[in-house]
């Protein structure tokens, strides 16, 4: 097999071209001796100077490909720049990563975290100066590492117990309620993580936090939360790793399904005379956001249930 030239691959990978760059991505994935160094360099550059990559007119894509390809290879060298990216300003992150902030980033952090370095994810999750969804990504990454067998459940549970109690005390002492803003949503995110690992040991405490109004029930309903907390470990692993939520194992297939490579049918070219009159879209139910509860009633967020595909 001919070794690819990185500069030729970059032609298809640097910016959005309108089509799925299958050959270039496949070559980058199967020839890490060619792609690894420039992909790592792209993540480092993204962390230090994200501005060019947030320009919609440019359609920069390389940082997204780098995050996913290096995660698929479990490349621990990618962990530090990914952490640095996660600590960027929230508005910048929304422009930089879009839905990848709550979908791709947690999995990439989990897959690239070196063994024994979970403390760095804990530090990100605890950092109130960071964007809420970056802190959430760190929590998801910790849960994912436990579910994948790379981080002891008992260690995660012990840390979560301490953090939940600390955050609950902070909210009580400050007279805070979750509806007051993102600074008060952290306990709700911590409880979601407890659900993910079936932390029945803390069910009584969680119920008390619900009763005290410290948890936003738009994140998780009390009755659904109690059911999920009581799941055994095998069920947690089966449920939480479904929908491709585990480590990236078919990254080319995943990227090929990105929305940007499947424009809506309404955007397809058609003869102007043959085009039917467009009627307004009428929804049977309100639009579901990626972090809203799934309408199927599972108790999970939409992004991790019916919206995961």
């Amino acid at each position: 097999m001919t070794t690819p030239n990185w500069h030729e691959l970059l032609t298809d990978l640097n910016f959005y071209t309108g089509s799925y760059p299958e050959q270039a991505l496949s070559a980058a994935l199967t020839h890490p001796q060619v792609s690894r160094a420039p992909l790592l360099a792209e993540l480092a550059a993204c962390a230090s100077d994200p501005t060019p990559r947030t320009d919609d007119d440019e359609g920069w894509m390389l940082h997204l490909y780098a995050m996913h390809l290096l995660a698929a290879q479990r490349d621990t060298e990618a962990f530090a720049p990914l952490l640095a990216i996660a600590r960027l300003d929230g508005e910048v992150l929304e422009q930089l990563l879009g839905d990848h902030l709550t979908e791709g980033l947690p999995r990439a952090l989990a897959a690239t975290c070196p063994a024994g370095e979970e403390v760095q994810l804990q530090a990100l999750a605890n950092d109130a100066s960071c964007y809420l969804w970056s802190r959430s990504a760190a929590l998801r990454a910790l849960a994912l590492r436990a579910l994948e067998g790379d981080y002891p459940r008992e260690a995660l549970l012990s840390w979560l117990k301490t953090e939940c109690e600390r955050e609950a005390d902070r909210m009580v002492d400050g007279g805070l309620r979750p509806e007051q803003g993102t600074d008060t949503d952290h306990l709700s995110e911590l409880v979601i993580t407890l659900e993910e690992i079936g932390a029945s040991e803390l069910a009584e405490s969680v119920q008390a936090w619900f009763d005290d109004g410290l948890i936003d029930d738009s994140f998780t309903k009390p009755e659904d939360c109690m059911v999920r907390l009581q799941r055994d470990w095998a069920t947690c692993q089966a449920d939480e790793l479904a929908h491709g939520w585990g480590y990236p194992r078919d990254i080319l297939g995943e990227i090929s399904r990105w929305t940007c490579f499947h424009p809506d049918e309404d955007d397809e070219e058609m003869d102007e005379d043959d085009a039917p009159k467009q009627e307004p879209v009428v929804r049977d139910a309100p639009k579901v956001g990626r972090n809203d509860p799934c309408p199927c009633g599972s108790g999970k967020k939409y992004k991790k249930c019916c919206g995961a595909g």
Side-chain angles (χ1 to χ4, degrees):
M1 182 181 294
T2 304
T3 301
N5 179 287
W6 172 250
H7 293 290
E8 293 177 359
L9 298 182
L10 198 58
T11 302
D12 291 327
L13 299 181
N14 212 20
F15 301 103
Y16 178 63
T17 62
S19 60
Y20 170 53
E22 180 177 10
Q23 291 186 345
L25 285 170
S26 179
L29 185 65
T30 56
H31 293 83
Q33 74 277 16
V34 171
S35 64
R36 180 175 182 267
L39 290 177
L40 287 169
E42 170 61 18
L43 289 184
C46 181
S48 63
D49 185 19
T51 302
R53 296 157 178 84
T54 62
D55 188 338
D56 290 338
D57 293 334
E58 291 288 345
W60 204 297
M61 295 288 285
L62 186 59
H63 63 296
L64 298 177
Y65 294 142
M67 179 173 74
H68 288 84
L69 291 174
L70 292 168
Q73 294 169 335
R74 305 288 305 278
D75 194 323
T76 56
E77 295 265 336
F79 184 62
L82 285 171
L83 272 181
I85 289 170
R87 290 181 175 277
L88 293 171
D89 174 76
E91 185 175 343
V92 170
L93 279 170
E94 290 287 354
Q95 295 176 322
L96 188 68
L97 300 182
D99 283 348
H100 299 285
L101 175 59
T102 54
E103 297 166 7
L105 181 60
R107 297 171 67 209
L109 287 171
T112 61
C113 179
E117 292 299 317
E118 288 82 7
V119 64
Q120 296 195 55
L121 293 172
Q122 293 171 358
L124 173 58
N126 280 342
D127 192 341
S129 70
C130 290
Y131 191 37
L132 173 69
W133 298 119
S134 293
R135 301 175 72 188
S136 172
L139 290 173
R140 301 290 80 75
L142 287 165
L144 179 52
R145 286 188 63 76
L147 291 161
E148 288 277 12
D150 288 330
Y151 183 42
R153 176 188 181 276
E154 294 74 17
L156 177 56
L157 179 61
S158 176
W159 177 79
L160 285 170
K161 179 178 184 295
T162 299
E163 294 309 310
C164 284
E165 291 172 348
R166 179 190 60 79
E167 183 65 10
D169 288 344
R170 183 186 76 88
M171 293 180 71
V172 170
D173 292 344
L176 304 174
R177 289 292 180 268
E179 66 270 18
Q180 291 179 306
T182 58
D183 183 53
T184 60
D185 285 335
H186 186 50
L187 181 59
S188 300
E189 285 287 339
L190 286 164
V191 168
I192 292 290
T193 312
L194 291 176
E195 290 183 13
E196 289 172 336
I197 64 169
S200 59
E201 300 92 333
L202 294 183
E204 185 175 341
S205 296
V206 172
Q207 185 61 63
W209 298 328
F210 271 113
D211 294 341
D212 291 340
L214 302 180
I215 301 174
D216 187 346
D217 64 7
S218 70
F219 279 68
T220 179
K221 301 293 184 185
E223 57 275 17
D224 296 328
C225 179
M226 291 300 120
V227 171
R228 285 166 53 75
L229 286 173
Q230 297 299 332
R231 295 175 301 165
D232 61 39
W233 187 236
T235 301
C236 287
Q237 289 178 303
D239 290 348
E240 299 299 333
L241 298 180
H243 305 297
W245 188 244
Y247 292 154
R249 292 183 171 88
D250 176 25
I251 199 60
L252 297 184
E254 289 185 27
I255 295 175
S256 73
R257 294 188 290 273
W258 287 1
T259 303
C260 62
F261 300 128
H262 301 276
D264 295 335
E265 292 183 2
D266 289 343
D267 294 332
E268 293 178 356
E269 292 185 4
M270 53 173 54
D271 186 274
E272 186 174 337
D273 294 334
D274 295 336
K277 181 180 179 181
Q278 184 174 355
E279 298 293 338
V281 175
V282 178
R283 300 184 184 276
D284 294 330
K287 182 179 179 181
V288 182
R290 65 191 185 200
N291 294 301
D292 292 339
C294 189
C296 76
S298 67
K300 295 184 181 182
K301 291 185 182 181
Y302 178 69
K303 69 186 181 188
K304 291 190 62 182
C305 192
C306 296

